[in-house]
Amino acid sequence: MNANDLTFGIELETVVSAATANRNGLFIGGYHNGRQVPYLPDGWTAARDASVSGSGDALSCEIVSPVLRGEAGVNAVYNAVNTLVERGHRVNATCGCHIHIGYADQPAEQIRRLIAVVSYLETALYATTGTKNRERGRWCKSVREYNGASRAFNTMRGDRYHLLNIQNLTTHRLPTIE
């Protein structure tokens, strides 16, 4: 598997004040009905997310990328994050980040390896949020708790609310992992 062959998308949960949104011409669409972010390239949208909350006039704002690929996609994420910070987007304990890997005809061994890598790095990935909320929450369950790729695979393919969501890797063809 070559990383440049995989597509991915990212959702960045942020809060932004109503005044800042108005000043920047940002209109936040409904859940799964995002609106183009005027200061990001085409395809980057802003939508409401009920799991994100802020104080005062802070609006929940989930920034959703278009389909990205390879190094150019990673650079697009880097540039988008910098622009969002410059435009007043912030994060708090209710914010998170979701990365979606596009479907590819993955051999079972590749999926097993991906599960193992995420399991091994799980503590560090959770630590990037700066809070225990995600690690303990129901929306981003542990991969490591299943004690092995086979058991994890068989549980995770039916439940997208894990640190690693493999549903799109298994929707088209359900490989067997022993």
Side-chain angles (χ1 to χ4, degrees):
M1 174 177 12
N2 182 328
N4 287 321
D5 295 335
L6 294 176
T7 59
F8 69 97
I10 188 165
E11 298 172 10
L12 303 165
E13 295 174 350
T14 71
V15 291
V16 62
S17 74
T20 299
N22 288 335
R23 183 173 55 252
N24 289 317
L26 176 66
F27 295 98
I28 302 170
Y31 181 66
H32 287 288
N33 192 23
R35 303 273 305 267
Q36 174 66 42
V37 178
Y39 37 89
L40 292 177
D42 285 346
W44 289 82
T45 60
R48 299 220 185 277
D49 186 325
S51 71
V52 177
S53 61
S55 59
D57 75 338
L59 304 171
S60 72
C61 181
E62 181 172 75
I63 303 296
V64 180
S65 78
V67 176
L68 303 168
R69 180 185 302 270
E71 185 177 351
V74 172
N75 288 333
V77 171
Y78 178 81
N79 292 332
V81 168
N82 285 334
T83 300
L84 293 171
V85 170
E86 290 169 3
R87 295 292 184 134
H89 290 255
R90 300 291 179 252
V91 296
N92 62 25
T94 68
C95 296
C97 170
H98 309 169
I99 299 172
H100 304 271
I101 306 296
Y103 174 76
D105 195 14
Q106 305 285 338
E109 183 54 35
Q110 296 291 358
I111 296 174
R112 178 195 310 272
R113 202 173 309 155
L114 178 63
I115 291 169
V117 167
V118 169
S119 176
Y120 181 74
L121 298 172
E122 184 172 281
T123 302
L125 292 169
Y126 281 129
T128 63
T129 66
T131 176
K132 292 281 187 185
N133 289 351
R134 293 290 174 183
E135 189 172 357
R136 295 178 183 148
R138 66 181 181 166
W139 306 112
C140 194
K141 291 179 250 175
S142 171
V143 174
R144 183 175 276 180
E145 72 184 42
Y146 299 110
N147 296 320
S150 299
R151 190 165 166 225
F153 173 82
N154 291 325
T155 303
M156 292 166 53
R157 71 181 184 185
D159 181 356
R160 70 185 182 117
Y161 294 110
H162 285 85
L163 177 63
L164 173 65
N165 173 359
I166 63 167
Q167 281 191 312
N168 59 334
L169 296 177
T170 62
T171 301
H172 302 284
R173 181 181 58 88
L174 296 176
T176 301
I177 294 184
E178 310 265 337

